[in-house]
Amino acid sequence: MTASGPTTGFSAGVRLSPDPDAFSLMWTGSYFDLSGHSSSTNAISSNPFIITVGSPGSGEIDLSTITDSSGASALANVNFTDSTGATTAISSSASSPAGPNSVTQYAVSPTAAGAAFAALVTDGRGPSAASYGAFADGQGLIFAGVGDFGASTVRTWSFVHATGYTQTVWLAKPLAPDRDFTLKAGLTYRRSRESYGNGMAFDLASSVSGASIPTVSLSEAGKFNVEAGGPVFGFDARFHPPAPFMIGVSGTAGMAFFGARSRLTHTVVLPQVAAIEDAASVRRDSGVMGLTGMEVSLIFPLEERVELRVSGSVQSTFGAPRPTAGDIKRYNTSQYGVGVSLAARF
């Protein structure tokens, strides 16, 4: 998913002596607040379908439907032993003779740590029939369906919200008159906090005269925190084309040692059963990631020592930690930005 939002940057510097080519001590910092979300609703198109999340206790789901000139029938058998050893079973059948006859029914059987679920829809006018079965506990969910799902839909959604900041202290040395080319070395520290989640909700269509089947849903929510720091190197360059502006180019490269922590929980909602939430899965990781950055600016002098800058930038990390389903893995990531800033030289 792509996240977007504002980034605010600050910088300051001071020469360590009055000489034009003297070393400078510089500080740069930034704060970002990024978010993104998406959602969609689609007809259930896979027949049969089976969805597995986590590793629930052992069980069996047996579903079948029959449609012919005599009408429609459906059967569901669900047997489940949850993570505590508690057992339950549901056996459900329904039929509708040919013509304007229909049945919608569902059943739920709770256990100590979860529940079993079955639902049937038959309609003799099609004829059409659908059968659904599920079981879940704090370790996960298995949900399956077979038949003609009609207007049944699945709504999916996801979101992410990330905040964080960077701080870098530089020692810079100009190598050209008027400080048009400067090399710099420093230490950087960055910290980020991320909340994210996704899920799906099944709206199981009922027959024309049947009771509505409550929604079956499952979702996951996670938090991901990273702290990193290490050495960085860079340059700042200015070019003076025959125009009322200058062109500034800055580049950085370095490495950072990081520590990451991920916390993930799953929640399942079955009809007539309180939300079933698993124990939080916590993962930690540490290592080294690569850092690179590039910024190009158009610099418009406003006063003798005041400048307006219009900039575009890209910041990339290599081998950066990212959360996955119950784990932390390494990826290459990039962050793009455009901005307007004022700079004053004293």
Side-chain angles (χ1 to χ4, degrees):
M1 173 184 291
T2 300
S4 60
T7 298
T8 303
F10 307 91
S11 64
V14 59
R15 291 191 208 179
L16 298 183
S17 79
D19 297 335
D21 60 349
F23 281 93
S24 296
L25 186 64
M26 302 171 58
W27 166 80
T28 59
S30 65
Y31 173 81
F32 63 85
D33 189 334
L34 311 176
S35 62
H37 70 275
S38 65
S39 63
S40 64
T41 300
N42 299 285
I44 300 176
S45 56
S46 298
N47 181 23
F49 72 81
I50 182 167
I51 295 171
T52 301
V53 177
S55 300
S58 61
E60 182 179 351
I61 299 174
D62 181 20
L63 309 175
S64 64
T65 61
I66 298 175
T67 55
D68 55 29
S69 60
S70 64
S73 62
L75 176 70
N77 291 309
V78 181
N79 297 283
F80 176 45
T81 302
D82 70 17
S83 56
T84 70
T87 63
T88 190
I90 298 176
S91 181
S92 181
S93 62
S95 62
S96 297
N101 305 292
S102 61
V103 174
T104 297
Q105 63 188 44
Y106 68 91
V108 179
S109 182
T111 65
F117 165 78
L120 303 175
V121 179
T122 60
D123 192 338
R125 295 175 305 171
S128 63
S131 178
Y132 306 92
F135 57 80
D137 59 17
Q139 306 300 314
L141 162 80
I142 293 181
F143 179 43
V146 64
D148 180 358
F149 303 125
S152 296
T153 60
V154 55
R155 180 173 63 91
T156 60
W157 69 89
S158 60
F159 72 89
V160 62
H161 180 217
T163 61
Y165 62 86
T166 63
Q167 306 267 355
T168 307
V169 177
W170 300 96
L171 187 63
K173 179 70 167 67
L175 300 181
D178 298 323
R179 308 174 70 84
D180 283 342
F181 187 83
T182 300
L183 291 178
K184 55 187 182 180
L187 293 173
T188 188
Y189 170 78
R190 56 183 59 193
R191 181 175 183 177
S192 64
R193 297 289 182 266
E194 183 177 325
S195 298
Y196 64 93
N198 59 74
M200 57 180 64
F202 294 86
D203 182 9
L204 307 179
S206 55
S207 58
V208 291
S209 63
S212 175
I213 301 174
T215 299
V216 175
S217 67
L218 57 143
S219 61
E220 68 175 19
K223 292 186 179 296
F224 184 62
N225 302 328
V226 179
E227 292 185 71
V232 286
F233 303 90
F235 71 89
D236 295 324
R238 288 186 173 219
F239 304 94
H240 301 265
F245 58 82
M246 295 175 284
I247 297 175
V249 179
S250 298
T252 59
M255 58 185 291
F257 300 88
F258 70 82
R261 181 180 185 272
S262 173
R263 185 180 188 274
L264 184 67
T265 59
H266 293 94
T267 302
V268 175
V269 176
L270 295 177
Q272 299 180 353
V273 178
I276 303 169
E277 185 173 296
D278 64 5
S281 170
V282 177
R283 296 288 187 272
R284 290 180 171 83
D285 191 18
S286 60
V288 180
M289 60 183 178
L291 309 173
T292 62
M294 180 68 68
E295 180 178 275
V296 178
S297 304
L298 298 181
I299 304 171
F300 298 88
L302 300 181
E303 301 288 345
E304 181 180 357
R305 296 182 179 274
V306 179
E307 301 170 342
L308 172 68
R309 300 187 182 189
V310 180
S311 306
S313 64
V314 57
Q315 307 290 330
S316 299
T317 57
F318 302 92
R322 292 295 305 158
T324 61
D327 203 356
I328 298 175
K329 295 187 177 180
R330 310 290 179 82
Y331 295 91
N332 299 334
T333 65
S334 294
Q335 180 177 324
Y336 302 90
V338 293
V340 177
S341 62
L342 284 173
R345 293 168 174 258
F346 300 98

